[in-house]
Amino acid sequence: MTHFSALSLLKNALTGQKNWQAQWPDSQPKSEYDVVIVGAGGHGLGAAHYLAKEHGITNVAVIDKGWLGGGNTGRNTTIIRSNYLYDESAKLYDHAVDLWEGLSQDLNYNVMFSRRGVLMLAHNVHDVQSFQRHIHSNRLNGVDNRWLTPHEAKEFCPPLNISPNARYPVMGGALQMRAGTARHDAVAWGYARSASQRGVDIIQNCPVTAIRRGTDGSVEGVETAKGFIRAKKVAVSAAGHTSVVMDSAGVRMPLESYPLQALVSEPIKPIFPCVVMSNTVHAYISQSDKGELVIGSGTDQYTSYSQRGGLPLIEHTVAAICEIFPIFNRMRMLRKWGGIVDVTPDRSPILGTTPVPGLYVNCGWGTGGFKATPGAAHTLAWTIAKGTPHDINAPFTLDRFRTGRLIDEAAAAAVAH
Ligand SMILES: Cc1cc2nc3c(=O)[nH]c(=O)nc-3n(C[C@H](O)[C@H](O)[C@H](O)COP(=O)(O)OP(=O)(O)OC[C@H]3O[C@@H](n4cnc5c(N)ncnc54)[C@H](O)[C@@H]3O)c2cc1C
């Protein structure tokens, strides 16, 4: 079992130091576990937490090639919402929102979930029709979402420019009030601490190089930089790199990996009360508790494993923000970064069993898996523990790419996040 020191965490918080590796002592893996989870992001760590807490399975290792929470979990713009069009998606993401609401209490760790509302702007007739269709569909699924006129939108988010002379005037917006943001690295740390306290081993700096299968075809364990680790069950939750890891088990995944970027401004006093997204000008923005404007960019046009992304996208993003919020024209940007997301052809995740006995997979969350973290982790743990899908993740099979039962949510994501 690994424990991090509360003192070192406090010291690092006070000094602003962000060396997560230093906070979590390196531990040697045991030679055998009941379950090995590849990838210590929010999904993998969360699955370990729920395995231990809800299924009593604690002989578990979560293994990461880097430091915990250092992948997309610690790099995203933290938008949480569940206003998806199709029944399957609405159920999955709303299950996550339900869990977000009690997560700080469940983990006894403040994940700073803030239900400040997500407003999706409509700039043309197509947007208006599409968002109103979403609102009706959401209501049928018990998901809150309502229409705002331009003036109501401005009242809700005062920095918004609703001038009819804008290049893409605001024609209204869809508002989900239960939606919001959370503090991303706190999510990874909260799940990690809870899982560790229940006996789960978290092993950092340990790339999994291959999944080994026995003569009967089932999973035997994983080859890692720290040697072979035997395990009856292996779950791959290695966003951006899933196809590489799964390939070593002989499973070809319908995934492409893309860099996705974000940036933050210099900190300013509280000015931005909600989250705003715009598909048409392609921008999304919120304000962090530190005061930085958190701005999401798009995926690069080409596949890559580089955790950086190209410069032109950032320029387009900043131009889009200035278009909708001219008040931010003279602000300076502090830093930008990138992550690697893996994307399926129908833009919906894959979460469940695989053709290999004992092998499970959670991937394909593309640009929007942070919001799903508790829901994905919860249903992944169920699937690993019982060997069958939970009702909620049952439609998100790998098999749907063979049978054609796709869940084409592409139009539901307002922008890349
Ligand atoms: C810039 C950006 C903005 C985003 N904005 C949003 C947003 O606003 N809202 C939203 O819902 N989603 C957003 N996302 C997407 C979201 O971040 C991801 O979908 C989510 O965090 C995925 O979580 P995860 O735990 O599956 O993956 P990760 O946190 O990426 O964890 C996977 C882990 O696997 C590890 N790994 C990979 N290969 C191996 C290996 N061979 N061996 C061992 N370990 C390995 C990695 O090191 C990594 O730590 C954004 C992503 C980015 C990059």
Side-chain angles (χ1 to χ4, degrees):
M1 198 195 317
T2 45
H3 292 286
F4 70 90
S5 137
L7 204 61
S8 70
L9 190 59
L10 182 65
K11 188 183 119 219
N12 291 344
L14 291 175
T15 57
Q17 186 188 341
K18 271 204 169 180
N19 187 351
W20 303 122
Q21 272 166 273
Q23 291 173 7
W24 199 286
D26 258 3
S27 59
Q28 283 305 315
K30 295 189 290 191
S31 58
E32 186 166 353
Y33 290 91
D34 290 337
V35 179
V36 162
I37 298 174
V38 184
H43 291 213
L45 293 164
H49 159 82
Y50 294 114
L51 271 174
K53 187 177 174 217
E54 298 200 353
H55 303 280
I57 300 173
T58 55
N59 186 20
V60 177
V62 186
I63 305 180
D64 203 288
K65 70 184 169 84
W67 65 99
L68 71 89
N72 294 324
T73 296
R75 294 165 186 264
N76 70 82
T77 46
T78 82
I79 298 175
I80 295 168
R81 61 185 178 92
S82 59
N83 50 353
Y84 283 69
L85 182 64
Y86 293 119
D87 298 352
E88 299 90 336
S89 319
K91 283 197 186 99
L92 176 60
Y93 290 98
D94 215 44
H95 179 54
V97 171
D98 285 345
L99 291 168
W100 277 115
E101 284 172 340
L103 195 58
S104 295
Q105 287 74 20
D106 183 19
L107 300 178
N108 190 24
Y109 199 99
N110 190 357
V111 300
M112 296 164 88
F113 176 53
S114 160
R115 245 180 325 185
R116 57 184 68 179
V118 171
L119 175 62
M120 292 167 132
L121 298 177
H123 299 274
N124 52 46
V125 174
H126 175 266
D127 285 352
V128 173
Q129 291 173 343
S130 162
F131 289 162
Q132 293 198 346
R133 183 177 173 215
H134 277 74
I135 291 172
H136 296 312
S137 164
N138 288 160
R139 285 185 177 172
L140 289 172
N141 276 313
V143 175
D144 74 298
N145 200 359
R146 68 189 163 99
W147 182 252
L148 299 189
T149 64
H151 284 98
E152 287 169 338
K154 170 96 182 156
E155 207 175 314
F156 184 67
C157 181
L160 183 63
N161 175 24
I162 56 164
S163 161
N165 300 325
R167 192 157 48 121
Y168 296 101
V170 173
M171 295 176 72
L175 173 64
Q176 185 182 21
M177 258 332 280
R178 268 179 91 216
T181 57
R183 181 164 170 193
H184 47 21
D185 39 20
V187 175
W189 277 83
Y191 274 132
R193 187 179 71 164
S194 169
S196 173
Q197 283 172 343
R198 290 179 158 88
V200 170
D201 281 353
I202 296 165
I203 296 144
Q204 302 182 100
N205 299 312
C206 182
V208 169
T209 49
I211 294 170
R212 200 201 279 177
R213 294 170 63 178
T215 45
D216 65 352
S218 63
V219 157
E220 255 184 7
V222 290
E223 304 283 358
T224 79
K226 295 185 180 177
F228 176 69
I229 302 172
R230 192 169 292 282
K232 296 183 197 83
K233 296 183 175 184
V234 173
V236 177
S237 188
H241 299 87
T242 318
S243 41
V244 181
V245 181
M246 293 293 284
D247 192 51
S248 71
V251 182
R252 198 161 166 240
M253 298 298 291
L255 291 167
E256 286 183 330
S257 296
Y258 290 92
L260 172 64
Q261 301 180 70
L263 65 158
V264 290
S265 72
E266 57 191 341
I268 51 173
K269 286 189 176 171
I271 185 172
F272 208 84
C274 56
V275 181
V276 171
M277 306 171 61
S278 166
N279 191 13
T280 301
V281 299
H282 201 125
Y284 55 107
I285 179 168
S286 64
Q287 186 169 20
S288 75
D289 292 322
K290 282 193 285 185
E292 300 161 341
L293 296 176
V294 181
I295 299 169
S297 188
T299 48
D300 280 4
Q301 301 297 312
Y302 49 86
T303 53
S304 161
Y305 289 112
S306 94
Q307 273 185 322
R308 293 166 24 144
L311 196 56
L313 268 170
I314 293 292
E315 289 176 4
H316 293 157
T317 303
V318 171
I321 291 297
C322 293
E323 168 83 27
I324 322 176
F325 303 102
I327 190 175
F328 298 141
N329 263 342
R330 295 177 60 197
M331 286 203 57
R332 280 173 293 196
M333 293 301 131
L334 201 61
R335 61 179 187 279
K336 79 160 189 86
W337 64 91
I340 309 168
V341 297
D342 49 24
V343 179
T344 59
D346 66 354
R347 300 297 189 268
S348 290
I350 302 169
L351 205 178
T353 54
T354 70
V356 178
L359 181 62
Y360 304 87
V361 72
N362 166 54
C363 63
W365 293 94
T367 57
F370 179 71
K371 62 179 72 60
T373 303
H378 187 246
T379 54
L380 177 62
W382 169 289
T383 306
I384 297 169
K386 313 227 180 240
T388 56
H390 188 285
D391 281 354
I392 292 176
N393 68 289
F396 295 90
T397 57
L398 174 58
D399 201 42
R400 74 179 186 270
F401 298 97
R402 192 179 57 79
T403 60
R405 293 182 67 84
L406 302 181
I407 308 165
D408 191 356
E409 278 286 347
V415 287
H417 74 90

